[in-house]
Amino acid sequence: MSRLWSAIVAGLSPYVPGEQPQRAGLVKLNTNENPYPPSPAVAEAIRAAMGDAGDALRLYPDPSSSALCAAIAAREQLAPEQVFVGNGSDEVLAFVFQGLLAHARPLRFPDVTYSFYPTWCGLYGIAFETVPLADDFTLRVDDYAGGGPVIVPNPNAPTGRALGRAEVARLAMANADWPVVIDEAYVEFGAESAVPLIAAHPNLLVVRTLSKSHALAGLRVGYALGQAPLIEALVRLKDSFNSYPLDRLAQAGAIAALRDQAWFARSRDAVVASRERLCAELAALGFEVLPSQANFVFARHPAHAGAALARALRERAIVVRHFAKPRIDPWLRITVGTPQQCAALVAAARAIVGA
Ligand code: PMP
């Protein structure tokens, strides 16, 4: 606390991201990064975008990232004015909360979900209500009847469970007069995207990221897709906040990553194959594992507390995410790594649970 702070700062509850350990040699399965490198075309494009001896860095980047918006629009079969890009989907979501989710009715999202949502509500003074997931952590669309703004991740985090497209359409229709935002940070690992619903649902906004699917968490590129009036709201906010949220290198690298569809598909397929194997191996050790459509799995062991398991894994140089929160305290969220990383996790878990 400092008397130099504005009143709003004192009241904030900042989000705490997963640890980025500095110690080398850890098996890092705690922040859902892609275990494989991005397409080699990304580094090439970034070098080219710098120009000779970095000369191009003298100049500001394209403030509206038009080439990147066009590349995303082409991939999703949308028009460029249906695309908004930002510095990671966290920044896009921050604009979405301020620009589209602050309304007279409280915002609704699941009780177990991405824990940044309440933080943005706090930042922007948005009233919210959490809607409990079922006991098995499935999301019941019928619980979102009644009308009001909604945000849900699909697949949900940290559970990995996903809604089908027809269910998302029902959610959008049940709240047709309000923005319904689907946070598809993990959708490309196996869930159905809501993007094909955009044409028929003017209230639907889909938020995506290149952090996980395209192995670019370090480049910070996220985007939103929706009908033009929703996108215009985000552009108006961005242009009242920071003209250049995406630097030259991020714009060039993101375009190169999106062009290399074959690289994306190969690494996605490898992650999905490892996920299925990891689920089976953890189940064989006595873990309860939720079915996952994401690049992480959510698991608990009936005989071991979540915090103790996370600690014991850490002692064996393996970092996973544990949330000391109601309902999910027994559970661990484990990012799907390479086959070698998953094997190390399973071997350590076997040693700890004595199976
Ligand atoms: N949405 C969800 C559900 C997430 O788990 C994350 C990653 N923490 C994000 C959005 C943000 O990802 P990024 O800012 O890297 O695009």
Side-chain angles (χ1 to χ4, degrees), residues 15 31-32 87-91 93 113-114 116-117 120 153 155-157 183-186 207-212 216-217 220-222 296 333:
Y15 173 74
T31 50
N32 298 342
N87 193 253
S89 61
D90 277 343
E91 186 188 74
L93 286 164
T113 198
Y114 186 27
F116 218 137
Y117 296 165
W120 284 311
N156 196 9
D183 177 354
E184 293 191 348
Y186 302 100
V207 178
R208 293 268 195 90
T209 177
L210 299 189
S211 293
K212 295 110 200 319
L216 288 176
R220 313 302 303 128
V221 181
F296 55 83
R333 193 197 66 189

mmCIF file of all heavy atoms in Angstrom, residues 15 31-32 87-91 93 113-114 116-117 120 153 155-157 183-186 207-212 216-217 220-222 296 333, ligand 1:
data_model
loop_
_atom_site.group_PDB
_atom_site.id
_atom_site.type_symbol
_atom_site.label_atom_id
_atom_site.label_comp_id
_atom_site.label_asym_id
_atom_site.label_seq_id
_atom_site.Cartn_x
_atom_site.Cartn_y
_atom_site.Cartn_z
ATOM 1 N N TYR A 15 -4.226 -11.589 -10.809
ATOM 2 C CA TYR A 15 -4.097 -13.003 -11.196
ATOM 3 C C TYR A 15 -2.666 -13.457 -10.930
ATOM 4 O O TYR A 15 -1.718 -12.685 -11.111
ATOM 5 C CB TYR A 15 -4.410 -13.124 -12.688
ATOM 6 C CG TYR A 15 -4.165 -14.500 -13.284
ATOM 7 C CD1 TYR A 15 -5.032 -15.556 -13.025
ATOM 8 C CD2 TYR A 15 -3.073 -14.727 -14.120
ATOM 9 C CE1 TYR A 15 -4.816 -16.810 -13.590
ATOM 10 C CE2 TYR A 15 -2.850 -15.983 -14.694
ATOM 11 C CZ TYR A 15 -3.727 -17.020 -14.425
ATOM 12 O OH TYR A 15 -3.505 -18.247 -14.975
ATOM 13 N N THR A 31 2.179 -24.881 -17.166
ATOM 14 C CA THR A 31 1.479 -23.714 -17.744
ATOM 15 C C THR A 31 0.979 -23.967 -19.164
ATOM 16 O O THR A 31 0.743 -23.006 -19.928
ATOM 17 C CB THR A 31 2.351 -22.426 -17.709
ATOM 18 O OG1 THR A 31 3.636 -22.715 -18.251
ATOM 19 C CG2 THR A 31 2.520 -21.890 -16.307
ATOM 20 N N ASN A 32 0.790 -25.227 -19.500
ATOM 21 C CA ASN A 32 0.123 -25.595 -20.765
ATOM 22 C C ASN A 32 0.801 -25.042 -22.009
ATOM 23 O O ASN A 32 0.138 -24.739 -23.004
ATOM 24 C CB ASN A 32 -1.356 -25.176 -20.743
ATOM 25 C CG ASN A 32 -2.113 -25.890 -19.649
ATOM 26 O OD1 ASN A 32 -1.640 -26.906 -19.141
ATOM 27 N ND2 ASN A 32 -3.268 -25.379 -19.287
ATOM 28 N N ASN A 87 -2.166 -8.666 -27.776
ATOM 29 C CA ASN A 87 -0.920 -9.144 -27.195
ATOM 30 C C ASN A 87 -1.211 -10.335 -26.262
ATOM 31 O O ASN A 87 -1.270 -10.203 -25.046
ATOM 32 C CB ASN A 87 -0.292 -7.967 -26.426
ATOM 33 C CG ASN A 87 1.129 -8.249 -26.045
ATOM 34 O OD1 ASN A 87 1.440 -8.491 -24.889
ATOM 35 N ND2 ASN A 87 1.996 -8.215 -27.014
ATOM 36 N N GLY A 88 -1.430 -11.489 -26.883
ATOM 37 C CA GLY A 88 -1.869 -12.662 -26.126
ATOM 38 C C GLY A 88 -3.377 -12.603 -25.947
ATOM 39 O O GLY A 88 -3.980 -11.519 -25.982
ATOM 40 N N SER A 89 -4.011 -13.785 -25.770
ATOM 41 C CA SER A 89 -5.465 -13.722 -25.604
ATOM 42 C C SER A 89 -5.832 -13.112 -24.256
ATOM 43 O O SER A 89 -6.945 -12.623 -24.077
ATOM 44 C CB SER A 89 -6.137 -15.078 -25.829
ATOM 45 O OG SER A 89 -5.698 -16.040 -24.926
ATOM 46 N N ASP A 90 -4.896 -13.082 -23.305
ATOM 47 C CA ASP A 90 -5.193 -12.381 -22.053
ATOM 48 C C ASP A 90 -5.504 -10.896 -22.311
ATOM 49 O O ASP A 90 -6.430 -10.343 -21.721
ATOM 50 C CB ASP A 90 -4.024 -12.494 -21.066
ATOM 51 C CG ASP A 90 -4.048 -13.810 -20.279
ATOM 52 O OD1 ASP A 90 -5.106 -14.474 -20.252
ATOM 53 O OD2 ASP A 90 -3.019 -14.166 -19.699
ATOM 54 N N GLU A 91 -4.739 -10.273 -23.189
ATOM 55 C CA GLU A 91 -5.034 -8.867 -23.481
ATOM 56 C C GLU A 91 -6.363 -8.736 -24.228
ATOM 57 O O GLU A 91 -7.180 -7.850 -23.937
ATOM 58 C CB GLU A 91 -3.919 -8.214 -24.305
ATOM 59 C CG GLU A 91 -4.174 -6.720 -24.479
ATOM 60 C CD GLU A 91 -3.205 -6.063 -25.443
ATOM 61 O OE1 GLU A 91 -3.345 -6.264 -26.664
ATOM 62 O OE2 GLU A 91 -2.312 -5.348 -24.969
ATOM 63 N N LEU A 93 -8.875 -10.723 -23.995
ATOM 64 C CA LEU A 93 -9.939 -10.947 -23.007
ATOM 65 C C LEU A 93 -10.137 -9.721 -22.118
ATOM 66 O O LEU A 93 -11.281 -9.378 -21.759
ATOM 67 C CB LEU A 93 -9.619 -12.182 -22.155
ATOM 68 C CG LEU A 93 -9.803 -13.519 -22.874
ATOM 69 C CD1 LEU A 93 -9.109 -14.656 -22.117
ATOM 70 C CD2 LEU A 93 -11.297 -13.848 -23.040
ATOM 71 N N THR A 113 -13.187 -22.517 -13.345
ATOM 72 C CA THR A 113 -12.843 -22.033 -14.688
ATOM 73 C C THR A 113 -11.537 -21.251 -14.632
ATOM 74 O O THR A 113 -10.833 -21.248 -13.613
ATOM 75 C CB THR A 113 -14.002 -21.209 -15.295
ATOM 76 O OG1 THR A 113 -13.808 -21.113 -16.703
ATOM 77 C CG2 THR A 113 -14.085 -19.804 -14.707
ATOM 78 N N TYR A 114 -11.222 -20.563 -15.714
ATOM 79 C CA TYR A 114 -9.986 -19.782 -15.802
ATOM 80 C C TYR A 114 -10.021 -18.702 -14.725
ATOM 81 O O TYR A 114 -10.914 -17.849 -14.708
ATOM 82 C CB TYR A 114 -9.904 -19.166 -17.195
ATOM 83 C CG TYR A 114 -8.615 -18.442 -17.513
ATOM 84 C CD1 TYR A 114 -7.408 -18.775 -16.891
ATOM 85 C CD2 TYR A 114 -8.594 -17.432 -18.469
ATOM 86 C CE1 TYR A 114 -6.224 -18.116 -17.210
ATOM 87 C CE2 TYR A 114 -7.418 -16.773 -18.803
ATOM 88 C CZ TYR A 114 -6.241 -17.111 -18.163
ATOM 89 O OH TYR A 114 -5.085 -16.458 -18.482
ATOM 90 N N PHE A 116 -8.487 -16.073 -14.187
ATOM 91 C CA PHE A 116 -8.303 -14.654 -14.526
ATOM 92 C C PHE A 116 -9.655 -13.927 -14.618
ATOM 93 O O PHE A 116 -9.726 -12.702 -14.485
ATOM 94 C CB PHE A 116 -7.547 -14.510 -15.852
ATOM 95 C CG PHE A 116 -6.562 -13.370 -15.895
ATOM 96 C CD1 PHE A 116 -5.307 -13.546 -16.461
ATOM 97 C CD2 PHE A 116 -6.871 -12.113 -15.380
ATOM 98 C CE1 PHE A 116 -4.382 -12.498 -16.518
ATOM 99 C CE2 PHE A 116 -5.950 -11.065 -15.433
ATOM 100 C CZ PHE A 116 -4.707 -11.273 -16.003
ATOM 101 N N TYR A 117 -10.751 -14.670 -14.850
ATOM 102 C CA TYR A 117 -12.038 -13.986 -15.074
ATOM 103 C C TYR A 117 -12.448 -13.090 -13.898
ATOM 104 O O TYR A 117 -12.799 -11.922 -14.099
ATOM 105 C CB TYR A 117 -13.144 -15.002 -15.409
ATOM 106 C CG TYR A 117 -12.952 -15.775 -16.710
ATOM 107 C CD1 TYR A 117 -13.713 -16.917 -16.961
ATOM 108 C CD2 TYR A 117 -12.034 -15.382 -17.679
ATOM 109 C CE1 TYR A 117 -13.561 -17.638 -18.148
ATOM 110 C CE2 TYR A 117 -11.869 -16.102 -18.862
ATOM 111 C CZ TYR A 117 -12.637 -17.233 -19.085
ATOM 112 O OH TYR A 117 -12.492 -17.941 -20.246
ATOM 113 N N TRP A 120 -10.413 -9.797 -13.875
ATOM 114 C CA TRP A 120 -10.856 -8.738 -14.795
ATOM 115 C C TRP A 120 -12.152 -8.098 -14.294
ATOM 116 O O TRP A 120 -12.352 -6.894 -14.444
ATOM 117 C CB TRP A 120 -11.037 -9.298 -16.219
ATOM 118 C CG TRP A 120 -9.731 -9.511 -16.935
ATOM 119 C CD1 TRP A 120 -8.711 -8.601 -17.044
ATOM 120 C CD2 TRP A 120 -9.309 -10.687 -17.631
ATOM 121 N NE1 TRP A 120 -7.677 -9.163 -17.776
ATOM 122 C CE2 TRP A 120 -8.009 -10.425 -18.154
ATOM 123 C CE3 TRP A 120 -9.891 -11.933 -17.877
ATOM 124 C CZ2 TRP A 120 -7.291 -11.370 -18.894
ATOM 125 C CZ3 TRP A 120 -9.187 -12.856 -18.612
ATOM 126 C CH2 TRP A 120 -7.898 -12.584 -19.114
ATOM 127 N N PRO A 153 -14.843 -20.963 -21.105
ATOM 128 C CA PRO A 153 -13.800 -21.528 -21.942
ATOM 129 C C PRO A 153 -14.299 -22.862 -22.505
ATOM 130 O O PRO A 153 -15.002 -23.591 -21.824
ATOM 131 C CB PRO A 153 -12.634 -21.793 -20.981
ATOM 132 C CG PRO A 153 -13.032 -21.169 -19.676
ATOM 133 C CD PRO A 153 -14.524 -21.120 -19.676
ATOM 134 N N PRO A 155 -12.448 -25.997 -24.751
ATOM 135 C CA PRO A 155 -12.610 -26.735 -23.501
ATOM 136 C C PRO A 155 -12.432 -25.835 -22.276
ATOM 137 O O PRO A 155 -11.726 -24.838 -22.336
ATOM 138 C CB PRO A 155 -11.484 -27.775 -23.541
ATOM 139 C CG PRO A 155 -11.028 -27.844 -24.957
ATOM 140 C CD PRO A 155 -11.325 -26.533 -25.562
ATOM 141 N N ASN A 156 -13.071 -26.274 -21.171
ATOM 142 C CA ASN A 156 -12.929 -25.518 -19.936
ATOM 143 C C ASN A 156 -11.537 -25.748 -19.357
ATOM 144 O O ASN A 156 -10.902 -26.768 -19.606
ATOM 145 C CB ASN A 156 -14.009 -25.948 -18.934
ATOM 146 C CG ASN A 156 -14.170 -24.958 -17.776
ATOM 147 O OD1 ASN A 156 -13.597 -23.855 -17.788
ATOM 148 N ND2 ASN A 156 -14.940 -25.343 -16.777
ATOM 149 N N ALA A 157 -11.063 -24.770 -18.638
ATOM 150 C CA ALA A 157 -9.809 -24.897 -17.900
ATOM 151 C C ALA A 157 -10.156 -24.728 -16.425
ATOM 152 O O ALA A 157 -10.968 -23.871 -16.106
ATOM 153 C CB ALA A 157 -8.839 -23.803 -18.326
ATOM 154 N N ASP A 183 -14.112 -18.842 -24.912
ATOM 155 C CA ASP A 183 -12.648 -18.732 -24.829
ATOM 156 C C ASP A 183 -12.062 -20.066 -25.304
ATOM 157 O O ASP A 183 -12.037 -21.046 -24.568
ATOM 158 C CB ASP A 183 -12.285 -18.416 -23.375
ATOM 159 C CG ASP A 183 -10.791 -18.333 -23.119
ATOM 160 O OD1 ASP A 183 -9.997 -18.629 -24.043
ATOM 161 O OD2 ASP A 183 -10.419 -17.973 -21.988
ATOM 162 N N GLU A 184 -11.619 -20.074 -26.556
ATOM 163 C CA GLU A 184 -11.157 -21.326 -27.185
ATOM 164 C C GLU A 184 -9.637 -21.463 -27.140
ATOM 165 O O GLU A 184 -9.005 -21.923 -28.097
ATOM 166 C CB GLU A 184 -11.668 -21.407 -28.628
ATOM 167 C CG GLU A 184 -13.184 -21.562 -28.723
ATOM 168 C CD GLU A 184 -13.674 -21.919 -30.127
ATOM 169 O OE1 GLU A 184 -12.883 -21.826 -31.093
ATOM 170 O OE2 GLU A 184 -14.861 -22.284 -30.257
ATOM 171 N N ALA A 185 -9.037 -21.119 -25.991
ATOM 172 C CA ALA A 185 -7.576 -21.188 -25.875
ATOM 173 C C ALA A 185 -7.039 -22.579 -26.231
ATOM 174 O O ALA A 185 -5.938 -22.707 -26.749
ATOM 175 C CB ALA A 185 -7.142 -20.803 -24.460
ATOM 176 N N TYR A 186 -7.845 -23.616 -25.935
ATOM 177 C CA TYR A 186 -7.352 -24.995 -26.099
ATOM 178 C C TYR A 186 -8.100 -25.773 -27.173
ATOM 179 O O TYR A 186 -7.930 -26.974 -27.296
ATOM 180 C CB TYR A 186 -7.473 -25.737 -24.752
ATOM 181 C CG TYR A 186 -6.713 -25.050 -23.656
ATOM 182 C CD1 TYR A 186 -7.350 -24.239 -22.722
ATOM 183 C CD2 TYR A 186 -5.323 -25.175 -23.578
ATOM 184 C CE1 TYR A 186 -6.633 -23.578 -21.732
ATOM 185 C CE2 TYR A 186 -4.599 -24.524 -22.594
ATOM 186 C CZ TYR A 186 -5.262 -23.731 -21.676
ATOM 187 O OH TYR A 186 -4.552 -23.077 -20.706
ATOM 188 N N VAL A 207 -12.715 -16.352 -28.707
ATOM 189 C CA VAL A 207 -11.355 -15.858 -28.429
ATOM 190 C C VAL A 207 -10.380 -17.022 -28.552
ATOM 191 O O VAL A 207 -10.642 -18.119 -28.040
ATOM 192 C CB VAL A 207 -11.280 -15.217 -27.026
ATOM 193 C CG1 VAL A 207 -9.862 -14.745 -26.724
ATOM 194 C CG2 VAL A 207 -12.255 -14.047 -26.935
ATOM 195 N N ARG A 208 -9.299 -16.791 -29.243
ATOM 196 C CA ARG A 208 -8.293 -17.837 -29.511
ATOM 197 C C ARG A 208 -6.894 -17.327 -29.174
ATOM 198 O O ARG A 208 -6.685 -16.134 -29.027
ATOM 199 C CB ARG A 208 -8.299 -18.185 -31.005
ATOM 200 C CG ARG A 208 -9.547 -18.865 -31.508
ATOM 201 C CD ARG A 208 -9.347 -20.369 -31.419
ATOM 202 N NE ARG A 208 -10.354 -21.072 -32.191
ATOM 203 C CZ ARG A 208 -10.237 -21.401 -33.468
ATOM 204 N NH1 ARG A 208 -9.156 -21.090 -34.155
ATOM 205 N NH2 ARG A 208 -11.194 -22.062 -34.072
ATOM 206 N N THR A 209 -5.931 -18.240 -29.180
ATOM 207 C CA THR A 209 -4.540 -17.861 -28.943
ATOM 208 C C THR A 209 -3.607 -18.742 -29.760
ATOM 209 O O THR A 209 -3.953 -19.905 -30.039
ATOM 210 C CB THR A 209 -4.194 -17.993 -27.444
ATOM 211 O OG1 THR A 209 -2.809 -17.687 -27.270
ATOM 212 C CG2 THR A 209 -4.454 -19.383 -26.891
ATOM 213 N N LEU A 210 -2.459 -18.199 -30.131
ATOM 214 C CA LEU A 210 -1.417 -19.021 -30.768
ATOM 215 C C LEU A 210 -0.472 -19.604 -29.712
ATOM 216 O O LEU A 210 0.451 -20.330 -30.052
ATOM 217 C CB LEU A 210 -0.610 -18.188 -31.778
ATOM 218 C CG LEU A 210 -1.386 -17.587 -32.952
ATOM 219 C CD1 LEU A 210 -0.414 -16.989 -33.979
ATOM 220 C CD2 LEU A 210 -2.260 -18.629 -33.637
ATOM 221 N N SER A 211 -0.695 -19.263 -28.433
ATOM 222 C CA SER A 211 0.252 -19.666 -27.389
ATOM 223 C C SER A 211 0.419 -21.168 -27.292
ATOM 224 O O SER A 211 1.534 -21.665 -27.137
ATOM 225 C CB SER A 211 -0.213 -19.147 -26.026
ATOM 226 O OG SER A 211 -0.152 -17.746 -25.977
ATOM 227 N N LYS A 212 -0.689 -21.875 -27.347
ATOM 228 C CA LYS A 212 -0.620 -23.325 -27.129
ATOM 229 C C LYS A 212 -0.586 -24.074 -28.447
ATOM 230 O O LYS A 212 0.321 -24.839 -28.738
ATOM 231 C CB LYS A 212 -1.805 -23.782 -26.267
ATOM 232 C CG LYS A 212 -1.763 -23.208 -24.847
ATOM 233 C CD LYS A 212 -2.834 -22.202 -24.601
ATOM 234 C CE LYS A 212 -2.664 -21.238 -23.467
ATOM 235 N NZ LYS A 212 -2.160 -21.556 -22.203
ATOM 236 N N LEU A 216 3.557 -20.651 -29.436
ATOM 237 C CA LEU A 216 4.066 -19.275 -29.456
ATOM 238 C C LEU A 216 3.704 -18.501 -28.190
ATOM 239 O O LEU A 216 3.463 -17.290 -28.251
ATOM 240 C CB LEU A 216 3.542 -18.540 -30.700
ATOM 241 C CG LEU A 216 4.175 -18.986 -32.030
ATOM 242 C CD1 LEU A 216 3.524 -18.260 -33.206
ATOM 243 C CD2 LEU A 216 5.682 -18.741 -32.040
ATOM 244 N N ALA A 217 3.714 -19.177 -27.037
ATOM 245 C CA ALA A 217 3.377 -18.470 -25.797
ATOM 246 C C ALA A 217 4.312 -17.285 -25.573
ATOM 247 O O ALA A 217 3.913 -16.256 -25.029
ATOM 248 C CB ALA A 217 3.432 -19.430 -24.611
ATOM 249 N N ARG A 220 3.294 -13.887 -27.730
ATOM 250 C CA ARG A 220 2.111 -13.157 -27.264
ATOM 251 C C ARG A 220 1.199 -12.723 -28.406
ATOM 252 O O ARG A 220 1.182 -11.542 -28.790
ATOM 253 C CB ARG A 220 2.487 -11.936 -26.388
ATOM 254 C CG ARG A 220 3.510 -12.186 -25.306
ATOM 255 C CD ARG A 220 3.124 -13.266 -24.312
ATOM 256 N NE ARG A 220 1.870 -13.002 -23.657
ATOM 257 C CZ ARG A 220 0.860 -13.895 -23.614
ATOM 258 N NH1 ARG A 220 0.975 -15.077 -24.167
ATOM 259 N NH2 ARG A 220 -0.231 -13.599 -22.986
ATOM 260 N N VAL A 221 0.464 -13.670 -28.947
ATOM 261 C CA VAL A 221 -0.509 -13.350 -29.999
ATOM 262 C C VAL A 221 -1.825 -14.067 -29.704
ATOM 263 O O VAL A 221 -1.874 -15.303 -29.653
ATOM 264 C CB VAL A 221 -0.001 -13.769 -31.401
ATOM 265 C CG1 VAL A 221 -1.039 -13.400 -32.469
ATOM 266 C CG2 VAL A 221 1.335 -13.102 -31.714
ATOM 267 N N GLY A 222 -2.882 -13.291 -29.513
ATOM 268 C CA GLY A 222 -4.214 -13.853 -29.346
ATOM 269 C C GLY A 222 -5.165 -13.111 -30.271
ATOM 270 O O GLY A 222 -4.816 -12.062 -30.829
ATOM 271 N N PHE A 296 -3.834 -30.539 -21.690
ATOM 272 C CA PHE A 296 -3.520 -30.848 -20.294
ATOM 273 C C PHE A 296 -4.521 -31.883 -19.815
ATOM 274 O O PHE A 296 -5.567 -32.085 -20.458
ATOM 275 C CB PHE A 296 -3.592 -29.590 -19.423
ATOM 276 C CG PHE A 296 -4.909 -28.872 -19.513
ATOM 277 C CD1 PHE A 296 -6.010 -29.263 -18.763
ATOM 278 C CD2 PHE A 296 -5.073 -27.802 -20.392
ATOM 279 C CE1 PHE A 296 -7.234 -28.612 -18.868
ATOM 280 C CE2 PHE A 296 -6.292 -27.138 -20.504
ATOM 281 C CZ PHE A 296 -7.364 -27.548 -19.742
ATOM 282 N N ARG A 333 -3.486 -30.278 -12.374
ATOM 283 C CA ARG A 333 -3.568 -30.041 -13.817
ATOM 284 C C ARG A 333 -2.172 -30.275 -14.396
ATOM 285 O O ARG A 333 -1.219 -29.594 -14.018
ATOM 286 C CB ARG A 333 -4.023 -28.612 -14.104
ATOM 287 C CG ARG A 333 -4.429 -28.414 -15.573
ATOM 288 C CD ARG A 333 -4.487 -26.956 -15.946
ATOM 289 N NE ARG A 333 -3.163 -26.348 -15.897
ATOM 290 C CZ ARG A 333 -2.936 -25.045 -16.009
ATOM 291 N NH1 ARG A 333 -3.944 -24.206 -16.148
ATOM 292 N NH2 ARG A 333 -1.704 -24.562 -15.960
HETATM 293 N N1 PMP B 1 -7.736 -18.496 -21.706
HETATM 294 C C1 PMP B 1 -7.496 -19.584 -20.991
HETATM 295 C C2 PMP B 1 -8.636 -20.472 -20.621
HETATM 296 C C3 PMP B 1 -6.187 -19.881 -20.578
HETATM 297 O O1 PMP B 1 -5.946 -20.960 -19.829
HETATM 298 C C4 PMP B 1 -5.125 -19.018 -20.947
HETATM 299 C C5 PMP B 1 -3.702 -19.327 -20.544
HETATM 300 N N2 PMP B 1 -3.385 -18.959 -19.238
HETATM 301 C C6 PMP B 1 -5.437 -17.880 -21.693
HETATM 302 C C7 PMP B 1 -6.748 -17.657 -22.067
HETATM 303 C C8 PMP B 1 -4.405 -16.855 -22.065
HETATM 304 O O2 PMP B 1 -3.432 -17.298 -22.959
HETATM 305 P P1 PMP B 1 -2.511 -16.289 -23.756
HETATM 306 O O3 PMP B 1 -2.571 -14.947 -23.079
HETATM 307 O O4 PMP B 1 -1.150 -16.894 -23.695
HETATM 308 O O5 PMP B 1 -3.042 -16.216 -25.145
#
